[in-house]
Amino acid sequence: MNIGVIGLGYVGLTFSVVAGLKGINVIALEKSELIKENLKKCKAHFFEPGLDDLLKVLMNQHLFVKDAYSKEDKIDIFFITVGTPLLNGSSTPNYAYLESALDSIKSVYDGSQLLILRSTIAVGTTRKLVIPYLAKIAGIPETDVLVAFCPERTIEGKAVKELQELPQIIGANNKKALLLAESLFREITNTVVKVDSLEAAELIKLFNNTYRDIHFAVGNVFNEIAQGYNINGVELIQTANLGYERSNIALPGFVGGPCLEKDAYILTENMQDSPGKQFVLNSRKYNESLEEQVIKWVQSHLKSTDKICITGLPFKGRPDTSDLRGSNSIQIVNKLNQLGFHPNLHDFVAYKDEVLATVNGNWFDDLYDAIIDCQALLILNNHQKYSNLELHKITSAMKNENIYILDYWSAMNQIPVKLYPNLTYITAGNILI
Ligand SMILES: NC(=O)c1ccc[n+]([C@@H]2O[C@H](COP(=O)([O-])OP(=O)(O)OC[C@H]3O[C@@H](n4cnc5c(N)ncnc54)[C@H](O)[C@@H]3O)[C@@H](O)[C@H]2O)c1
């Protein structure tokens, strides 16, 4: 089987590697020169465990990267994995990449091949945009086109593993397309779930992500409510959940990343204004508002001339990812830059060049070097390594006066704050008290 993957980003590259592992040939198109240069050296442009090792085995054996398709490329299934970011300031995805991906198959698409759309889109987009486009370029009736929508539901940092384990949802425009999509995914994972329509599959993707967004928003709001009573919100949520299986309140933390930052908007895009729509959007907006808590805390405790260190820059710490897209930490550094701060920057996973292309600061590879003489340390994601930091080493490297650690996610675990009288330790649980 030959698959034509279009777009070798986080989704396309991990899928291509897993397909290659199963013996499927992938002939992929990618526009970014940086990504192609990396792939020539069998390297991914982002951190995903095991990916580089797999690329060493698969590049030019099962995975071939091209600039454009030619008549010699015999492709059975096209697989579109281009980005669908929101258009600036709106809740509508930018479909320009999707349209350019469809354009790129013109020379080899004859209407007989299946096209699988993987990118996240508003409900109805496969039927309204993709099917007419394909029918037109192949010169066939829309009912004869073979199209499936099969959402990506893996988590960054575990994508290679999860692609082979998660149930794969398939919605298609006709029986033949459904069976063809199923035949591909049966090679990749054990559980394939066929749903009744393209729209059902599109909705499942948006439900899965928006559910997470709302679930985290509940924890974040409860955390604020607790602090209104002078109670540490993190500790209260932990106690509320303890041994009580009907309560799974999320611990507070930022909610971002390239998917959650947009999917609630995409889900509600076609909805009439209603309490339901506002419920979904308010949850999203509440999660977005957390950045401001940190900014206000910094403004009330520090001056822009103070030396500070910020670590934890990708949008989450667990599982490991280098992805800075939709990261609240990056937004916070940006806003602090605008307020005149020039922080020391560190991260355990993110790449220096990518960070410094986005925000201003002094980069350090080692956290203990980055905090020397700092007044405050801001830990902005929950990477596992923060739980092993040596508090004594940190406090003695920092400024020898009143010092602050703002560990928003409580990533350092229980720390014996009382042993350090010059240290103020803040988490999301007491940032508002
Ligand atoms: N990142 C995730 O974990 C994740 C999870 C679920 C869903 N999604 C969705 O999957 C889609 C892709 O996400 P991503 O994170 O991989 O995006 P990405 O931006 O990392 O990757 C898209 C890639 O497509 C390339 N591209 C764009 N137009 C092209 C064209 N015409 N021809 C060839 N290459 C082209 C870009 O250069 C880029 O490398 C998005 O809709 C996203 O919402 C992502």
Side-chain angles (χ1 to χ4, degrees):
M1 195 188 284
N2 288 342
I3 307 287
V5 173
I6 299 144
L8 288 176
Y10 286 73
V11 170
L13 190 56
T14 47
F15 177 82
S16 298
V17 161
V18 172
L21 266 180
K22 307 290 175 182
I24 297 168
N25 289 324
V26 176
I27 307 169
L29 301 186
E30 171 51 56
K31 278 200 164 157
S32 152
E33 292 306 322
L34 178 83
I35 294 177
K36 286 187 281 190
E37 280 312 306
N38 272 296
L39 287 174
K40 277 184 196 152
K41 297 178 221 147
C42 300
K43 280 183 75 66
H45 59 290
F46 55 91
F47 177 78
E48 179 74 33
L51 197 55
D52 288 355
D53 290 339
L54 291 171
L55 283 169
K56 283 186 195 116
V57 181
L58 295 169
M59 277 305 291
N60 300 320
Q61 299 297 321
H62 281 293
L63 173 55
F64 306 88
V65 184
K66 304 190 71 172
D67 292 326
Y69 289 129
S70 56
K71 289 277 177 228
E72 301 79 64
D73 298 316
K74 301 288 171 230
I75 307 233
D76 303 298
I77 299 177
F78 292 102
F79 198 88
I80 296 198
T81 51
V82 294
T84 48
L86 295 183
L87 282 165
N88 267 350
S90 89
S91 56
T92 309
N94 180 356
Y95 292 127
Y97 301 106
L98 176 53
E99 285 164 2
S100 76
L102 292 171
D103 266 345
S104 70
I105 66 170
K106 259 184 185 167
S107 60
V108 280
Y109 178 73
D110 61 13
S112 68
Q113 305 99 323
L114 171 69
L115 182 138
I116 295 179
L117 183 56
R118 191 69 155 176
S119 309
T120 304
I121 45 165
V123 179
T125 307
T126 316
R127 196 176 298 281
K128 281 186 260 165
L129 192 154
V130 178
I131 292 179
Y133 204 105
L134 293 177
K136 195 170 164 210
I137 58 176
I140 57 172
E142 288 186 12
T143 42
D144 291 354
V145 165
L146 303 172
V147 172
F149 182 79
C150 304
E152 171 75 29
R153 300 193 302 160
T154 58
I155 190 166
E156 284 182 24
K158 277 194 190 164
V160 171
K161 185 169 179 284
E162 285 196 348
L163 273 166
Q164 302 171 75
E165 292 174 354
L166 289 183
Q168 177 57 56
I169 307 287
I170 304 177
N173 69 324
N174 57 42
K175 183 103 185 151
K176 190 172 174 192
L178 197 66
L179 292 175
L180 281 171
E182 182 183 10
S183 70
L184 167 63
F185 282 107
R186 289 252 176 248
E187 302 286 325
I188 291 186
T189 189
N190 286 333
T191 315
V192 168
V193 184
K194 291 176 275 182
V195 295
D196 288 341
S197 64
L198 292 162
E199 290 74 14
E202 292 167 343
L203 257 182
I204 286 173
K205 168 68 201 168
L206 295 170
F207 275 6
N208 284 148
N209 273 3
T210 307
Y211 168 74
R212 274 168 72 71
D213 206 10
I214 295 169
H215 170 70
F216 293 135
V218 170
N220 284 324
V221 171
F222 283 7
N223 174 47
E224 178 178 337
I225 293 172
Q227 291 178 76
Y229 294 96
N230 245 355
I231 298 171
N232 184 308
V234 172
E235 291 169 10
L236 197 70
I237 290 172
Q238 282 167 335
T239 312
N241 288 341
L242 192 69
Y244 191 62
E245 62 181 24
R246 286 186 290 285
S247 186
N248 179 29
I249 306 167
L251 287 170
F254 298 124
V255 191
C259 291
L260 292 197
E261 71 165 352
K262 66 175 184 171
D263 288 359
Y265 292 110
I266 299 179
L267 173 65
T268 51
E269 199 211 350
N270 301 330
M271 283 173 75
Q272 298 286 336
D273 197 18
S274 66
K277 179 171 182 169
Q278 290 313 318
F279 169 74
V280 172
L281 289 179
N282 284 340
S283 300
R284 172 86 299 261
K285 286 181 178 146
Y286 188 80
N287 284 333
E288 289 169 6
S289 75
L290 301 181
E291 288 166 14
E292 214 41 48
Q293 286 181 359
V294 175
I295 300 297
K296 279 191 182 143
W297 179 88
V298 171
Q299 283 183 299
S300 59
H301 291 82
L302 300 161
K303 299 184 292 298
S304 61
T305 46
D306 288 335
K307 203 170 164 187
I308 67 170
C309 169
I310 303 182
T311 180
L313 301 172
F315 72 93
K316 64 173 182 189
R318 297 179 206 177
D320 282 19
T321 179
S322 58
D323 198 350
L324 304 177
R325 296 172 303 168
S327 166
N328 300 91
S329 318
I330 290 293
Q331 296 285 11
I332 288 168
V333 180
N334 245 316
K335 286 182 188 167
L336 292 177
N337 283 159
Q338 285 161 25
L339 293 169
F341 286 87
H342 191 82
N344 289 350
L345 298 170
H346 163 269
D347 194 75
F348 288 115
V349 191
Y351 302 126
K352 174 184 174 182
D353 293 350
E354 269 185 49
V355 171
L356 295 182
T358 326
V359 290
N360 296 322
N362 313 306
W363 179 265
F364 287 82
D365 289 329
D366 186 298
L367 180 56
Y368 293 105
D369 290 338
I371 55 173
I372 290 173
D373 289 336
C374 282
Q375 185 89 49
L377 167 64
L378 274 56
I379 302 176
L380 297 185
N381 77 19
N382 59 344
H383 194 276
Q384 186 67 40
K385 286 190 178 162
Y386 298 120
S387 62
N388 301 323
L389 292 182
E390 293 177 57
L391 192 57
H392 176 70
K393 227 171 134 182
I394 291 179
T395 51
S396 44
M398 289 173 75
K399 209 167 173 162
N400 194 18
E401 297 162 12
N402 285 339
I403 51 175
Y404 298 96
I405 297 180
L406 169 57
D407 174 13
Y408 196 82
W409 295 74
S410 313
M412 290 180 77
N413 281 337
Q414 302 291 325
I415 66 166
V417 191
K418 288 195 178 116
L419 297 180
Y420 299 90
N422 64 336
L423 168 68
T424 305
Y425 178 71
I426 307 290
T427 69
N430 61 353
I431 193 170
L432 300 173
I433 297 177

